[in-house]
Amino acid sequence: MVADAWILHRDYRTPPVPADPDVAPGPWRHPDGGQVMNGTYKRRRSGLQVEVVTVWYGHALSHWHGPRMPRFSSPLVSAWNPVLAQGLVVDPRAPVPYGDALWCDRWIAEALLYGRKPYGSFTLPADEAMCWFAKSGGTGLVYHAQTNGDLVRVVAGTAERYGRLFDLEALIADYLEALPPDLAEPEAAALDAHRRRSPALHYILSENAEVRFARAPLSVRGLTLGYPPHETAARIAAGTLGP
């Protein structure tokens, strides 16, 4: 089976194209017309698989395959979330949208404030962290902060319950269809058990919260970070998930 055409999935997280005229566009172009690709693109593959690429000004920042999971969607979940939170890039020699060493931390901080992801950790200079604390009032975010010299590390997440944040029925059905039973059933049970929990209460305010989060089932970790579940499902099959 030949792969379907690339379909652009518009997302306001997509970084703007560079203003610097010296930054050359990358090799990723639309087959029809040759326009420079910019955004998240998906296409169906054989074997009930989907291929996803995030492209900035023609340069691929992530490129992966995963099982189709058609039922679930959420504004808190995006292919850009793992890319921009981790500063991913396919070709380390290519230009990237990331600025200084704290660019990703600043992106995570803003994404949390504006409801682009439900949970995350970031490190900022003390004055920027204080500004973030002031802005977080009234957002429903709960945070834990720890100073380290002139920097402040923050772990933050929403207090809303998973069952209200996400369509867990759709997500569980997708996992049960996408993965073999021995892999899918424990993940489905873990998601179901989180209905009345929240990222804040379970993975920030609880004892040894970050250790608990690191040990959580991969489906829960991926969802909590706002990562696309078909990418997480592929990593479950491989036994890995990025930070």
Side-chain angles (χ1 to χ4, degrees):
M1 174 181 173
V2 177
D4 289 356
W6 288 109
I7 298 176
L8 173 64
H9 290 254
R10 299 190 183 279
D11 191 328
Y12 54 80
R13 298 169 180 82
T14 305
V17 299
D20 185 352
D22 293 332
V23 178
W28 283 79
R29 307 295 178 106
H30 291 281
D32 297 328
Q35 304 97 328
V36 176
M37 294 169 68
N38 193 71
T40 299
Y41 296 83
K42 298 181 182 179
R43 64 181 178 181
R44 293 188 301 171
R45 305 288 295 191
S46 61
L48 300 178
Q49 292 284 303
V50 63
E51 182 180 5
V52 181
V53 62
T54 58
V55 185
W56 175 74
Y57 198 45
H59 299 281
L61 301 182
S62 71
H63 188 192
W64 48 271
H65 297 76
R68 297 181 203 171
M69 302 179 74
R71 301 174 184 84
F72 176 79
S73 66
S74 169
L76 288 168
V77 169
S78 168
W80 281 110
N81 281 349
V83 173
L84 301 181
Q86 299 179 60
L88 301 182
V89 60
V90 172
D91 182 355
R93 301 165 297 178
V96 294
Y98 319 120
D100 61 25
L102 293 179
W103 190 97
C104 293
D105 293 89
R106 293 188 177 98
W107 184 87
I108 293 170
E110 184 177 88
L112 287 163
L113 286 178
Y114 294 104
R116 297 172 188 171
K117 64 197 275 54
Y119 170 97
S121 62
F122 58 89
T123 300
L124 293 176
D127 58 338
E128 294 185 38
M130 292 300 293
C131 183
W132 187 90
F133 297 150
K135 291 180 179 179
S136 69
T139 62
L141 291 171
V142 174
Y143 61 84
H144 172 76
Q146 184 174 8
T147 58
N148 181 14
D150 295 331
L151 298 174
V152 179
R153 183 175 184 273
V154 180
V155 182
T158 178
E160 189 60 85
R161 295 178 179 179
Y162 285 89
R164 292 181 62 87
L165 288 171
F166 304 108
D167 184 351
L168 292 181
E169 287 77 11
L171 183 58
I172 288 170
D174 275 344
Y175 268 111
L176 290 174
E177 186 175 278
L179 295 174
D182 61 320
L183 295 178
E185 291 173 3
E187 302 293 344
L191 290 167
D192 186 61
H194 276 70
R195 291 181 186 275
R196 297 184 180 276
R197 300 172 182 172
S198 80
L201 297 178
H202 206 63
Y203 295 118
I204 296 173
L205 298 180
S206 63
E207 185 176 356
N208 296 322
E210 289 193 70
V211 173
R212 173 181 286 188
F213 181 68
R215 295 175 178 173
L218 297 183
S219 60
V220 172
R221 286 172 55 199
L223 185 64
T224 306
L225 291 165
Y227 291 4
H230 38 304
E231 181 183 14
T232 302
R235 293 183 181 273
I236 289 170
T240 63
L241 180 68

